């Protein structure tokens, strides 16, 4: 691994809360949940040739259905994301973050090249217009930034996780600056989104975290067998174009402190 790549100290052993002992009766429910996720992913792959003709509202609902099928309730708060060219940025905890961010506004995802090899999800990402970044080649970064800026100028939304790595949720990384240069070059706003996970009683949990050497299958099973999971998505005030002098300042403005009070205007809860 290259020395310049961002890394998180979070590991499954040290940070991720293991589910309580899974009761025998919970296993069939978890299998059904994962089966439903699989069916929704297959449906998404089948419909990708019609992508431009699928209403964004249907895409948002489909993304929420994926999360809900895994047994996670979704709570989205905040104003609707702007239309037109837009860079969506969020903290990164879990594979669940990807459909959750798309539920805010359907967008072209920025993802590491390794995602191409994920079963089903990799094929869906590639056919859905994902912009892949080779994190092992620093010299390829300017070209990636230019491709992102080009997509933003064309009026697309691009979604990214600028921490560059997943964190457990109790701790978080610093937003890397490179992707924000694309927003500056294209002259588009940045939409910050804050994602967190709680149990039904309101206690924050790291169970959905996908960190370190955790496997996707292990994370999927942990989510499907954890009862009462709630994903909380805060859509915060967008940072307008021209509001920050450089990418460093723009990254700081987008990564608001967790205690910041967003201007919430609506709440959507998928039961």
């Amino acid at each position: 691994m290259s020395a310049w790549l961002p890394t998180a100290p979070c590991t499954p052993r040290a940070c991720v809360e293991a589910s309580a002992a899974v009761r025998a009766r919970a296993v069939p429910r978890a299998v059904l949940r994962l089966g439903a996720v699989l069916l929704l992913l297959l449906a998404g792959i089948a419909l990708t040739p019609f992508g431009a003709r699928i209403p964004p509202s249907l895409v948002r609902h489909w993304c929420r259905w994926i999360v809900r099928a895994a047994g996670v309730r979704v709570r989205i708060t905040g104003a609707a994301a702007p239309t037109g060219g837009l860079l969506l940025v969020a903290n990164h905890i879990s594979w669940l973050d990807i459909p959750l961010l798309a539920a805010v506004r359907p967008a072209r995802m920025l993802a590491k090249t390794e995602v191409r090899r994920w079963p089903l999800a990799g094929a869906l990402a590639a056919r859905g217009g994902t912009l892949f970044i080779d994190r092992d080649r620093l010299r390829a970064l300017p070209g990636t930034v230019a491709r992102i800026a080009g997509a933003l100028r064309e009026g697309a939304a691009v979604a990214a996780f600028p921490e560059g790595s997943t964190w457990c949720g109790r701790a978080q990384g610093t937003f890397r600056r490179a992707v924000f240069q694309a927003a500056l070059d294209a002259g588009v706003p940045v939409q910050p989104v804050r994602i967190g996970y709680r149990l039904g009683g309101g206690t924050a949990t790291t169970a959905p975290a996908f960190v370190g050497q955790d496997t996707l299958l292990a994370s999927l099973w942990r989510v499907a067998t954890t009862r009462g999971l709630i994903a909380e998505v805060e859509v915060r005030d967008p940072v307008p174009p021209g509001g920050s002098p450089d990418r460093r300042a723009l990254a700081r403005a987008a990564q608001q402190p967790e205690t910041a009070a967003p201007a919430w205007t609506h709440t959507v809860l998928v039961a």
Side-chain angles (χ1 to χ4, degrees):
M1 181 177 290
S2 301
W4 70 276
L5 291 177
T7 58
C10 305
T11 65
R13 182 182 296 272
C15 303
V16 179
E17 299 166 0
S19 303
V22 179
R23 297 177 181 176
R25 65 185 182 186
V27 172
R29 180 177 57 204
V31 171
L32 287 174
R33 286 174 173 175
L34 295 180
V37 171
L38 175 62
L39 288 175
L40 285 168
L41 288 174
L42 290 172
I45 292 172
L47 292 174
T48 48
F50 308 97
R53 286 174 280 175
I54 299 175
S57 59
L58 181 58
V59 176
R60 287 195 295 268
H61 284 300
W62 175 75
C63 291
R64 290 173 185 162
W65 293 336
I66 288 179
V67 180
R68 188 65 189 98
V72 183
R73 298 167 69 195
V74 181
R75 181 179 290 120
I76 300 178
T77 55
T83 58
L86 181 70
L87 178 65
L88 289 100
V89 295
N91 60 305
H92 202 9
I93 299 172
S94 172
W95 53 270
L96 287 164
D97 303 342
I98 298 171
L100 287 172
L101 201 52
V104 172
R105 180 179 165 185
R108 297 184 65 180
M109 293 297 306
L110 178 65
K112 59 186 180 181
T113 54
E114 293 88 337
V115 171
R116 286 181 185 266
R117 298 193 294 269
W118 286 12
L120 293 179
L124 181 60
R127 296 179 66 177
T130 295
L131 297 163
F132 291 102
I133 179 171
D134 188 345
R135 302 191 305 165
D136 291 326
R137 296 177 58 227
L138 182 58
R139 277 188 267 181
L141 186 58
T144 301
V145 171
R147 289 198 304 275
I148 298 170
L152 294 171
R153 290 191 191 98
E154 293 172 359
V158 176
F161 300 106
E163 288 171 312
S165 179
T166 50
W167 292 66
C168 69
R170 291 198 180 105
Q172 68 178 63
T174 300
F175 278 5
R176 311 284 283 194
R177 302 185 296 272
V179 70
F180 294 96
Q181 186 62 50
L184 290 172
D185 293 345
V188 301
V190 174
Q191 177 66 73
V193 177
R194 178 77 188 178
I195 299 173
Y197 297 92
R198 296 187 179 276
L199 298 176
T203 304
T205 179
T206 62
F210 181 37
V211 295
Q213 299 302 311
D214 205 5
T215 65
L216 182 59
L217 182 59
S219 181
L220 282 164
W221 185 253
R222 190 168 55 245
V223 168
T225 55
T226 300
R227 300 188 63 180
L229 270 179
I230 299 175
E232 296 184 334
V233 183
E234 299 177 7
V235 184
R236 297 182 169 180
D237 293 336
V239 182
S244 300
D246 54 40
R247 62 188 181 186
R248 184 189 298 270
L250 185 55
R252 285 199 303 266
Q255 191 170 23
Q256 303 174 39
E258 189 172 359
T259 55
W264 293 353
T265 58
H266 74 275
T267 300
V268 178
L269 177 61
V270 180

